[in-house]
C-alpha cells in the first residue's frame, strides 16, 4: 500500500476502512448495507447518538453546554453560515486572516455585516500566524483558522476574550488536547482527520444557538439543525458512520497518546528538514503546524524529481499547494510514526543520491 500524505481527502485509519467496507456489504449483521439503512430508523439513530457523544467527549465538552451537529456543504458553507446566523447588518465581526481559508471566511463575513481584521499575514504569503492585538468587546464573534492547511502554520495560543470565538479546526480537530471550552463554535470538514468528504462536524455552545440574527431557511440555521439533531433532511449517513468509526478509533488510542504521536511525527520530520542542506521549512518556526509540514528545496529543479523519487518508494500526496510550491506532508492522525520515519529516510536517501 502507498503512504498517503495528502492534505485531504486524506488517509484514514486502516481499521476504519476495513470496518466501513464490511458495513457496506452487511451493516452489523442487519442484512442491510450501511448505504441502504433509513436515516430515521433505529440503526442510524444509534450511530448518530454515539457519534454525537464521542464528538464532545473527546474534546472534553459537556453535553449540557455543547451540541454536535453534522452538516453537508463543506467548510465553505460554514464560512457563510457563520455570519448569516451570528452577524447582523449593523454589527461587526472580528477575523484573523492567517491563510486562504481564513480569507474566504472573511470574504463571506463582509456579505452580511461589518468586519474588523484583527491581524493578517496575507502580505507575507501567510508564512506565519499574525499578531491579533486586543479584541474589541463589541464584536459579535471572532473567527480564526487554527491550522492553516496550505501554509503549514498553526495557532499555539489563542485570543483571550469574552467575545465568542469561532474556529475552523478542519485540518487539526482531534489531534491535540486543548481547553476546547474556550470556543463557542468549532467546525471541521471530515475529510482530513475525521472521515470521508461529505460531512462537516460543528460543535456549538448551546447558548450561541439562541443568538441567531436573522430569519433563515431551516437548512441554513444552526438553531434549527441542532433542534432537528442533524436530521432535518436526509443526512450523509455513510460519512457520519465512518466518522463514528474514526472517533471510536481515537477513543481507543486516547487523546493523550494521539497528541504524543502527533508531536513525535512533527519532531521527526521538522528535525530532518532542519538538518538538511537541500530542503528547508517554509513556515516561521514558532508557528509550524503539527499536521501539515511545508518544505521546499533551494533549487526548484528538485521539485518534480523528488516527487517522482518518493513515489517510486510508495510515498504520495506530498506535492505542495500551488500557492506555496515545493512539498507538503500532511501528518493527520491516521499517519503513523513509522510512516513519517519512512518519509524521513526517503528525504535522506534523496539527499545522498543528488549530493
Ligand atoms: C482549514 C480549512 N478550512 C476549510 C476548507 C474548505 O473545505 P471544503 O472544501 O470542504 O469547503 C479547507 C479545505 O482544505 C481547509 O483546509
Amino acid at each position: 500500500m502507498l503512504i498517503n500524505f495528502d492534505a485531504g481527502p486524506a488517509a484514514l485509519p486502516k481499521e476504519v476502512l476495513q470496518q466501513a467496507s464490511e458495513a457496506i456489504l452487511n451493516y452489523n449483521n442487519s442484512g442491510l448495507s450501511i448505504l441502504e439503512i433509513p436515516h430515521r430508523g433505529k440503526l442510524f439513530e444509534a450511530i448518530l447518538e454515539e457519534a454525537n457523544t464521542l464528538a464532545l467527549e473527546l474534546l472534553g465538552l459537556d453535553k449540557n453546554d455543547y451540541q454536535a451537529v453534522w452538516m453537508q456543504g463543506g467548510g465553505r458553507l460554514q464560512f457563510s453560515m457563520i455570519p448569516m446566523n451570528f452577524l447582523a447588518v449593523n454589527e461587526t465581526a472580528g477575523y484573523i486572516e492567517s491563510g486562504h481559508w481564513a480569507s474566504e471566511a472573511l470574504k463571506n463575513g463582509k456579505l452580511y455585516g461589518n468586519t474588523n481584521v484583527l491581524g493578517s499575514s496575507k502580505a507575507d504569503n501567510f508564512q506565519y500566524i499574525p499578531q491579533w492585538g486586543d479584541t474589541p468587546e463589541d464584536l459579535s464573534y471572532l473567527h480564526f483558522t487554527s491550522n492553516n492547511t496550505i501554509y503549514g502554520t498553526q495557532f499555539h495560543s489563542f485570543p483571550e476574550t469574552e467575545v465568542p470565538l469561532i474556529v475552523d479546526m478542519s485540518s487539526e480537530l482531534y489531534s491535540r488536547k486543548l481547553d476546547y471550552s474556550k470556543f463557542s463554535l468549532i467546525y471541521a470538514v471530515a475529510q482530513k482527520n475525521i472521515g470521508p468528504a461529505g460531512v462537516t462536524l460543528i460543535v456549538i455552545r448551546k447558548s450561541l444557538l439562541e443568538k441567531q440574527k436573522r430569519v433563515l431557511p431551516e437548512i441554513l440555521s444552526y438553531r434549527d439543525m441542532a433542534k432537528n439533531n442533524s436530521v432535518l433532511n436526509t443526512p450523509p449517513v455513510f460519512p457520519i458512520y465512518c466518522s463514528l468509526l474514526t472517533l471510536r478509533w481515537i477513543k481507543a488510542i486516547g487523546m493523550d497518546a494521539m497528541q504524543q504521536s502527533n508531536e513525535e511525527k512533527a519532531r521527526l520530520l521538522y528535525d530532518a528538514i532542519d538538518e538538511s542542506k537541500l530542503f528547508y521549512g517554509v513556515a516561521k518556526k514558532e508557528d509550524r503546524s503539527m499536521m501539515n509540514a511545508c518544505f521546499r528545496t533551494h533549487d526548484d529543479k528538485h521539485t518534480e524529481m523528488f516527487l517522482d523519487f518518493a513515489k517510486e518508494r510508495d510515498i504520495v500526496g506530498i506535492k505542495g499547494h500551488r500557492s506555496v510550491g515545493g512539498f507538503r506532508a500532511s501528518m493527520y492522525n491516521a499517519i503513523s510514526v513509522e510512516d513519517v520515519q519512512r518519509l524521513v529516510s526517503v528525504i535522506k536517501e534523496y539527499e545522498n543520491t543528488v549530493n
Side-chain angles (χ1 to χ4, degrees), residues 73-77 79 101 145 147 149 168 170-171 189 191-192:
R76 286 218 175 239
L77 181 62
F79 299 162
W101 301 114
T145 314
N147 187 74
T149 326
D168 178 356
S170 290
S171 45
V189 301
Q191 67 266 24
K192 298 173 191 303

Side-chain angles (χ1 to χ4, degrees), residues 124-178:
D124 296 309
N125 199 28
F126 301 119
Q127 282 175 18
Y128 54 87
I129 299 293
Q131 300 290 312
W132 52 79
D134 289 337
T135 308
E137 279 166 25
D138 59 350
L139 298 178
S140 301
Y141 59 81
L142 173 55
H143 178 281
F144 65 100
T145 314
S146 63
N147 187 74
N148 298 280
T149 326
I150 297 176
Y151 313 90
T153 62
Q154 189 168 28
F155 280 69
H156 298 297
S157 61
F158 303 99
E160 294 292 337
T161 173
E162 295 300 310
V163 168
L165 291 178
I166 296 189
V167 54
D168 178 356
M169 293 201 145
S170 290
S171 45
E172 72 149 291
L173 198 60
Y174 301 112
S175 67
R176 57 175 167 164
K177 284 186 82 176
L178 290 173

